[in-house]
Amino acid sequence: MVAFIQPLGRLYSISHCLKSLVIKSNFDTQTAYKKIRSILEIAKSSASTRALMEFDNPPPSDKAKETDDDFAIVLELSEDDLHFEKKKKLLQNKGFNPKEQVYLNSSSGPDWISTTLKVMLQIARIIQLDEVELYFGEDDACSSVEYYSPRNEVEALNSILLLLDISLSSVTCMQMNVLQELREAIIGMIRDFGEKNSVKTKILENHSCGKEECLLQWGENNGIRTRLQIAYVKGAGRGAIARENLNVGDIAVEIPVSTVISEELIRESNMFHILEKIDGISSETMLLLWSMKEKHNYNSKFKIYFNTLPKEFNTGLSFGIEAIMALDGTMLLEEIVQAKQHLQTQYDSLFPTLCNDHPDIFPWEVYTWEQFLWACELWYSNSMQVMFPDGKLRTCLIPIAGFLNHSIYPHILHYGKVDPATNSLKFCLSRPCSEGEQCFLSYGNFSSSHLLTFYGFLPQGDNPYDVIPMDFEAEQEDCTEGNPRLDRTTHMVRGTWLSNNHNIFYYGLPPPLLDYLRRAKNPMLQTKSLLQSNLENEMEVLGDLLSTFDGMMENLGETDPNDRENASWDVRLAEEFKDQQRRIVSSVLNSCHKGLRLVENELRKCMNEDTRD
Ligand SMILES: C[S@@+](CC[C@H](N)C(=O)[O-])C[C@H]1O[C@@H](n2cnc3c(N)ncnc32)[C@H](O)[C@@H]1O
């Protein structure tokens, strides 16, 4: 996403001990290439130096069993991980260390592969958790989490595969057999996971793809290699379809840097010397202004690419007034209004000044507000963040790869780093894609509100990143000066159907939120035992949540009975989004009601016991 929109704040209010509940969209930033990743490390005792790849001797108790074929893989949570402490705690709750050795012993029994992989996968899943997944990850030792999110699962399986591949190069023959067996099992798990979650694409045969084929030909002439073809697909414009069966690790598309639209181009243009003098202008904004003019340049190197771009993008930024009003009761209304206002302010700060001062370089008919909005939508919905060999992250438009649609079950997770050896971007598969199947990318771990605003669609399936963030502000006594101060904490909820744990003290709701509310009510309560005081506190917490979410549901109103089929594209999208919000809020309300019944039951038992005593 281009960096000229700031995160936007949104408001709700909660009664009782909490002063206010401010809801913010602070989990939507494009983190994929900025985030410091946890690394998985493998250890080998025979190596003279401890490097990324080492093998460890078995622990003393296992010494008797030590053979040439007894060896361990170490899965390590990097201390550089942004969430190191939380992940370490979660690992420890499940009985693992942040640096865990998993012994590979093929003679330990017929189930050694599934037992070993189960352990490795549990650890790898936690290491690969992102901020939202970690927040919702159950934190008690008893609940065994099967999986956190489709992205996390594919990421965790691929990280184990990478570990095995790294280690294959330096093992004995017997150890190689063991690793190969594990590797095949992992590939099988990735395939099974993909088959269970495959998204059926309807290809629209009656649409011609002449312009797209011209671009593929242009790509071939310019060194782009692709195993994808382009077709119109139902509900998503164009999409990229596998021409042949593609396996994990295969490259679906390879794009030389010379065919990428990035800030280098603006430096070569005649508008650079004017734009560079504008205070605080970002390279993304310069590039956006460049692209507005370049799409009319008949001699442009990228003319064929510009020819394939839609006339309209239909993102949330183009929502008309009726659609915006249809969002009433959701936080998205304010977000879209603010985003549009922000763009209008940006436009007004540049135009008509640039057109008046340099009419030959910035012709007014090219730099209208409508054209500016079109370019913003182009850059928001089609650009990718790319890490170049010089270590700089640049926002780029990437011909052909730009046809890849987004999915919650993506085939391609990592694509944003230029391979310095080939000076190209490689789009490698993290799960297989069969011939004729649509190949999907992950645009990032985005909520539906973000995807609607900046990309103009709502993804199919349960989006684990559809959260309702909640910022709590609680007044605290300042010990040193006796002045009250505001403590701000961020929590969130999402559809409680995504949780595995609906037992008492959990109810499918996020444990960190519940713990925070419990402590806010009664800082002395420490345990989740069935004591009367705990249960009474629990009733209050659930009661507060119930009244907050009841209010949200009331604000959302009833489903619009009007015929959606005949509604305009934007009103239909707004109504669909609102339905999703209702579903989330309704699931929270159900969980609170069920929770209250559970707690009441236990409280009754508690009181009966007291009267018997
Ligand atoms: C990078 S482009 C992908 C190619 C695009 N479909 C096209 O025809 O040019 C991103 C745009 O594709 C569409 N898109 C991507 N993923 C989608 C999905 N899962 N469902 C519906 N539309 C999608 C949205 O319009 C989005 O703004």
Side-chain angles (χ1 to χ4, degrees), residues 88-99:
K88 181 177 155 193
K89 188 167 161 241
L90 195 52
L91 282 168
Q92 286 171 339
N93 279 346
K94 311 267 179 209
F96 303 118
N97 292 311
K99 186 169 184 172

Side-chain angles (χ1 to χ4, degrees), residues 171-185:
V171 287
T172 66
C173 199
M174 284 298 281
Q175 288 171 342
M176 189 174 290
N177 293 341
V178 169
L179 290 176
Q180 284 291 9
E181 275 188 75
L182 278 174
R183 196 179 188 281
E184 276 160 34

Side-chain angles (χ1 to χ4, degrees), residues 32 42 61-62 65 84 92 97 112 131 157 166 202 263 278 281 288 304 330 335 359 364 385 399 431 478 542 544:
I42 148 163
S61 57
D62 281 355
K65 286 195 286 156
F84 179 79
Q92 286 171 339
N97 292 311
W112 77 272
E131 190 174 4
L157 286 164
I166 291 170
K202 186 167 170 18
E263 66 183 52
I278 299 176
I281 193 167
L288 182 140
I304 294 172
T330 72
E335 187 168 305
W364 62 265
Q385 297 263 299
R431 71 176 180 89
D478 191 316
L542 288 171
D544 278 357

Side-chain angles (χ1 to χ4, degrees), residues 496-514:
T496 60
W497 63 85
L498 291 165
S499 165
N500 295 319
N501 195 347
H502 290 257
N503 297 333
I504 191 157
F505 298 116
Y506 294 92
Y507 327 106
L509 295 165
L513 168 68
L514 290 170

Side-chain angles (χ1 to χ4, degrees), residues 212 230-240 308-310 313-315 377-378 380-384 401-408 438 440-441 443 451 454-460:
E212 291 74 14
I230 310 308
Y232 274 84
V233 295
K234 192 166 178 234
R238 283 81 45 95
T308 65
L309 294 177
F313 280 102
N314 293 352
T315 72
E377 289 182 286
L378 162 67
Y380 278 129
S381 65
N382 278 253
S383 66
M384 297 182 196
F403 288 125
L404 286 154
N405 287 320
H406 169 83
S407 173
I408 292 164
Q438 183 173 184
F440 287 104
L441 207 64
Y443 291 177
L451 290 169
F454 298 107
Y455 296 85
F457 73 95
L458 295 171
Q460 278 180 38

